[in-house]
Amino acid sequence: MIKQPSITIIGGGPGGYVAAIRAAQLGADVTLVEKKKLGGTCLNVGCIPTKVLLHTAEIYKMLERSNELGLAVGMVKIELLALMTRKKYVVDKLINGVDLLMRTNGIKVIYGTASFENPKEIKVKHNDGKIKTIKSDYYILATGSKPYKPPIEGIDFPGVITSTEALDITEIYDSMIIVGGGVIGVEFASIYASFGCNVTIVEMMPEILPNMDEEMVNILKRKLIKDGIQILNSAKVIKIVNEGSGLNVIINRNGLEIKINAHKVLVAVGREINTMGLGLENTAVKMERSKIIVNDKLETNDKIIYAIGDCTGINMLAHVASAQGIIAAENIMGLDVKMDYKTVPSCIYTTPEMASVGLTENQARAKGYELNIGKFPLVGNGKSIIIEETEGLIKVISEKKYGEILGLHIVGPRATDLIAVGALALRLEATVDEIISTIHAHPTIGESILEASLDTKNLAIHIPAKTF
Ligand code: FAD
Ligand code: NAD
């Protein structure tokens, strides 16, 4: 019998545990080393707990206007203790699920911190201080990332927190300044503002969510502002001062120095890659600062070492980490596959949600495409009216010659689920005609994708005729 390769995976987040399962499915002898808990950032302090809080925040806001939905609801109150218990319940349930998947796939899980002793072996230091050496044919690095705290004066004051601490809510603060208007910034702004905290986002770029389609960002921004969130763009934090009455954040905005005060400051300016202490200097792995350099097959410069997920710094998303994990495992097991980032969706779980796949309008124009853009505002969509969530837009970006879909952008309810349609359209190189000839169920929000596709040809059914 041919001996199957042994693979050791370092890190049990959505990159590492998915790579482990795929490698085991292909017959590898798999060991996974995790220093904390299975599920990594995503399950423990990332995607899952934030969405538990966002879900409750959304229902809370909806119940506040229950009379519009024909309901008479008594006083609605947030029970923080119960919410924290529920968050833990959801996280634990999913971690137990990953543990079950490890056991049923015959994957050995070792708890401890791994580092390379030499190019062929790792040392695992267990929490009880014991050390074990492991030698495998291949390694997959999936060590993820942690919150980044930039070198700003006052950043280490108590009260200056990161997303990890912001998930453990023991009281509703009067006010919070969020430094960074990226995905973490707006999701936490949505949570805290819904619970009654005065939130100010400070973003150094001219716009929040700088990588998303500008027009769509404007719609979300309008709603965030309507919900009481203050947004200071083109604003750079100079220092944080603790003057007794909360924290003062000194900001430079268009050359002017402004002082704003809050109870807490949440720093959400990106993430730092976990490669320190991994002993990569003992291998041939090439790095660019703390990022591990990989090619489309997820190979590093060292023939027996692959890297996936946040530690590659390519696109810090759980679904990217998992997709890379599958590609790495398959390549090690003799398949010849490459990562294609074209269909990666970006999702923001605010109310309304925002989701995007493919090129933004500006990116498509910069690439020289002649475009046909179709839009459908949700105010014209039956289901949106039924659920009383009409603030939103669907935008289809297609190129003129064949009508090929280049991008789909959605702000509105269910956006994060609906975006799968756009990802599939891009994978299949679908045209707007193919969406148009597909029958969409009524009444659904998804119908608006059909309408927006029709609008690329000025043929939307539920938009008043332009000749009227
Ligand atoms: P991680 O999930 O970070 O896992 C790495 C694991 O490696 C950790 O468990 C760590 O303990 C372990 N480890 C590190 N070093 C060692 C070592 N030396 N030895 C042993 N083990 C080690 N992404 C989305 O797609 N959707 C979302 O909604 C979303 N929401 C987020 C919300 C927040 C607040 C945050 C912070 C992130 C969010 N993300 C989201 C990003 C997502 O969590 C990450 O992209 C994803 O977890 C990366 O997976 P990974 O496997 O690369 O790393
Ligand atoms: P980010 O890179 O998305 O946003 C950081 C923001 O901070 C940027 O807009 C940047 O311009 C701004 N910024 C940087 N330095 C600043 C400063 N000194 N002052 C003011 N603004 C400053 O990073 P993030 O929001 O911390 O998220 C980290 C990662 O986690 C992202 O890659 C994201 O993809 C992932 N994540 C994803 C989701 C999701 O998919 N829903 C949710 C949360 C986090």
Side-chain angles (χ1 to χ4, degrees):
M1 207 172 87
I2 304 167
K3 185 181 168 291
Q4 290 290 8
S6 56
I7 307 177
T8 295
I9 295 165
I10 305 177
Y17 88 72
V18 170
I21 295 170
R22 185 67 188 123
Q25 286 174 345
L26 293 168
D29 169 13
V30 186
T31 302
L32 187 141
V33 186
E34 169 53 55
K35 72 174 175 187
K36 288 185 191 151
K37 283 185 169 180
L38 287 175
T41 303
C42 176
L43 265 58
N44 292 285
V45 289
C47 331
I48 301 301
T50 40
K51 276 64 206 181
V52 172
L53 301 184
L54 281 159
H55 180 63
T56 295
E58 185 182 358
I59 293 177
Y60 181 58
K61 292 302 280 182
M62 194 202 285
L63 288 178
E64 273 186 345
R65 48 187 189 91
S66 52
N67 56 340
E68 291 168 30
L69 302 172
L71 290 172
V73 178
M75 194 184 68
V76 184
K77 196 168 154 273
I78 295 162
E79 293 287 358
L80 282 181
L81 202 60
L83 178 57
M84 292 301 110
T85 306
R86 175 170 149 71
K87 185 189 71 171
K88 184 171 175 341
Y89 160 78
V90 174
V91 167
D92 288 349
K93 196 171 166 73
L94 287 168
I95 293 174
N96 289 338
V98 175
D99 183 59
L100 175 74
L101 294 173
M102 296 296 102
R103 283 185 279 122
T104 52
N105 278 286
I107 295 158
K108 289 184 274 307
V109 178
I110 297 180
Y111 287 96
T113 304
S115 61
F116 280 88
E117 282 284 272
N118 60 57
K120 303 249 185 280
E121 283 179 338
I122 59 165
K123 175 181 81 180
V124 179
K125 192 170 176 203
H126 298 272
N127 297 343
D128 62 6
K130 285 193 190 130
I131 290 180
K132 183 183 168 79
T133 301
I134 299 177
K135 185 168 188 219
S136 285
D137 298 321
Y138 293 95
Y139 296 90
I140 300 179
L141 308 176
T143 52
S145 65
K146 58 180 179 218
Y148 171 63
K149 275 191 162 186
I152 295 174
E153 192 185 319
I155 197 100
D156 291 323
F157 280 136
V160 181
I161 58 173
T162 68
S163 58
T164 304
E165 296 87 56
L167 287 167
D168 287 326
I169 316 179
T170 50
E171 60 174 309
I172 310 284
Y173 316 119
D174 296 341
S175 52
M176 178 185 263
I177 294 168
I178 300 182
V179 184
V183 199
I184 293 187
V186 296
E187 287 191 351
F188 277 95
S190 220
I191 295 169
Y192 275 87
S194 303
F195 292 170
C197 175
N198 274 315
V199 176
T200 305
I201 297 177
V202 177
E203 166 59 50
M204 72 177 183
M205 300 297 279
E207 246 345 313
I208 57 166
L209 301 166
N211 301 323
M212 306 290 273
D213 189 278
E214 245 179 82
E215 182 176 15
M216 309 306 274
V217 170
N218 275 330
I219 297 170
L220 179 63
K221 191 174 147 186
R222 261 204 315 272
K223 178 68 168 59
L224 295 177
I225 292 170
K226 197 167 143 192
D227 287 344
I229 297 166
Q230 262 208 67
I231 299 176
L232 298 179
N233 49 1
S234 305
K236 207 165 166 20
V237 175
I238 303 169
K239 60 179 171 181
I240 303 167
V241 192
N242 190 347
E243 288 175 341
S245 57
L247 294 158
N248 284 326
V249 177
I250 318 294
I251 292 162
N252 185 317
R253 192 176 190 213
N254 303 322
L256 275 180
E257 212 165 90
I258 313 172
K259 180 159 96 173
I260 44 175
N261 179 274
H263 199 95
K264 292 269 169 187
V265 176
L266 166 60
V267 180
V269 295
R271 309 223 354 127
E272 187 179 331
I273 287 167
N274 290 329
T275 39
M276 275 264 279
L278 250 186
L280 294 181
E281 61 285 1
N282 299 325
T283 69
V285 169
K286 260 201 170 164
M287 320 262 295
E288 189 195 313
R289 283 177 281 137
S290 56
K291 285 182 202 170
I292 299 172
I293 297 177
V294 287
N295 61 16
D296 287 346
K297 294 178 82 177
L298 285 316
E299 295 164 329
T300 68
N301 242 44
D302 190 316
K303 280 209 298 287
I304 64 164
I305 304 177
Y306 288 64
I308 59 174
D310 283 10
C311 69
T312 66
I314 293 172
N315 191 350
M316 292 190 177
L317 293 171
H319 41 283
V320 172
S322 300
Q324 290 176 326
I326 287 171
I327 299 281
E330 291 183 347
N331 280 321
I332 291 175
M333 295 306 287
L335 305 177
D336 182 12
V337 281
K338 284 187 179 160
M339 238 348 248
D340 175 2
Y341 295 95
K342 187 167 94 172
T343 63
V344 175
S346 301
C347 297
I348 304 172
Y349 297 77
T350 41
T351 309
E353 293 184 342
M354 175 163 178
S356 162
V357 68
L359 300 179
T360 63
E361 184 175 343
N362 286 344
Q363 287 166 345
R365 290 200 194 286
K367 279 182 179 280
Y369 284 109
E370 278 197 69
L371 300 179
N372 275 334
I373 294 178
K375 297 179 199 173
F376 191 78
L378 293 186
V379 70
N381 171 262
K383 185 62 181 267
S384 302
I385 295 171
I386 293 168
I387 65 171
E388 273 286 328
E389 289 185 53
T390 51
E391 274 161 313
L393 182 75
I394 310 252
K395 179 169 176 180
V396 170
I397 295 174
S398 65
E399 54 77 42
K400 220 170 208 157
K401 192 162 175 202
Y402 305 105
E404 185 178 337
I405 293 170
L406 303 176
L408 176 66
H409 305 275
I410 308 175
V411 176
R414 325 264 204 275
T416 58
D417 287 313
L418 287 172
I419 203 64
V421 173
L424 186 63
L426 289 175
R427 163 59 66 240
L428 299 177
E429 295 177 3
T431 61
V432 283
D433 286 327
E434 283 159 332
I435 300 273
I436 290 167
S437 60
T438 302
I439 297 172
H440 288 60
H442 175 75
T444 59
I445 314 236
E447 289 175 280
S448 303
I449 299 177
L450 168 63
E451 290 278 12
S453 302
L454 282 164
D455 189 53
T456 61
K457 298 166 172 252
N458 290 323
L459 291 175
I461 302 289
H462 292 93
I463 292 180
K466 287 171 183 130
T467 48
F468 182 69

